[in-house]
């Protein structure tokens, strides 16, 4: 009797590994496929409606180490979900020409002693930016003055 109970428990483990986990992986892959497809369509529709959009890079000129330790999270542009892009391993978002309100938060991590890192997070705040047709900009956070910077990139 004890042997059959162990055998059933062992079979449940096999069912878990060979049926339930693959179903979960397939469901997640399908979700990501449709989500990315929807994001691409949303971006294409937005760019069709705004062909003269400006690109705003997030920390474009930062070093690789700084990119790993400093993170700007853009929450919204004019109260709506931003249209993000990635270009040469640099993230950014599109804005139509004009003045916009960007809501973002910033966090920085510094390594500590004995593998303990210390992360400082600045709560979300809103910054007003002005973009011109077809230009590119860099959106960064200056840790010394604890303020955001928005500057035009040279070609």
């Amino acid at each position: 009797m004890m042997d059959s109970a162990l055998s059933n428990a062992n079979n449940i483990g096999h069912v878990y590994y060979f049926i339930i986990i693959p179903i979960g992986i397939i469901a997640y892959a399908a979700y990501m496929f449709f989500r990315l497809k929807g994001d691409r369509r949303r971006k294409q529709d937005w760019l069709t409606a705004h062909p003269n959009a400006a690109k705003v890079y997030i920390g474009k000129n930062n070093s690789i180490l700084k990119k790993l330790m400093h993170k700007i999270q853009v929450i919204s542009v004019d109260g709506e979900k931003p249209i993000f892009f990635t270009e040469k391993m640099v993230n950014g978002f599109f804005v139509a020409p004009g003045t916009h309100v960007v809501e973002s938060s910033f966090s920085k991590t510094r390594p500590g002693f004995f593998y303990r890192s210390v992360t400082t997070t600045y709560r979300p705040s809103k910054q007003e930016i002005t973009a011109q047709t077809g230009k590119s900009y860099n959106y960064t956070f200056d840790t010394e003055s604890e303020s955001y910077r928005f500057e035009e990139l040279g070609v």
Side-chain angles (χ1 to χ4, degrees), residues 134-153:
K135 295 203 174 180
S136 296
Y137 298 91
N138 193 22
Y139 186 66
T140 58
F141 187 85
D142 184 6
T143 53
E144 290 176 16
S145 65
E146 296 187 347
S147 63
Y148 291 91
R149 288 197 346 224
F150 181 74
E151 53 203 17
E152 185 178 340
L153 290 171

Side-chain angles (χ1 to χ4, degrees), residues 40-53 83 94:
R40 253 180 281 161
R41 184 173 48 245
R42 180 176 166 259
K43 179 164 106 177
Q44 195 58 46
D45 291 347
W46 192 90
L47 287 173
T48 301
H50 303 89
N52 54 356
I83 306 292
F94 291 104

Side-chain angles (χ1 to χ4, degrees), residues 81-99:
K81 182 180 176 187
I83 306 292
F84 291 106
F85 68 87
T86 302
E87 191 175 280
K88 296 181 183 175
M89 308 246 323
V90 178
N91 295 327
F93 57 96
F94 291 104
V95 293
T99 302

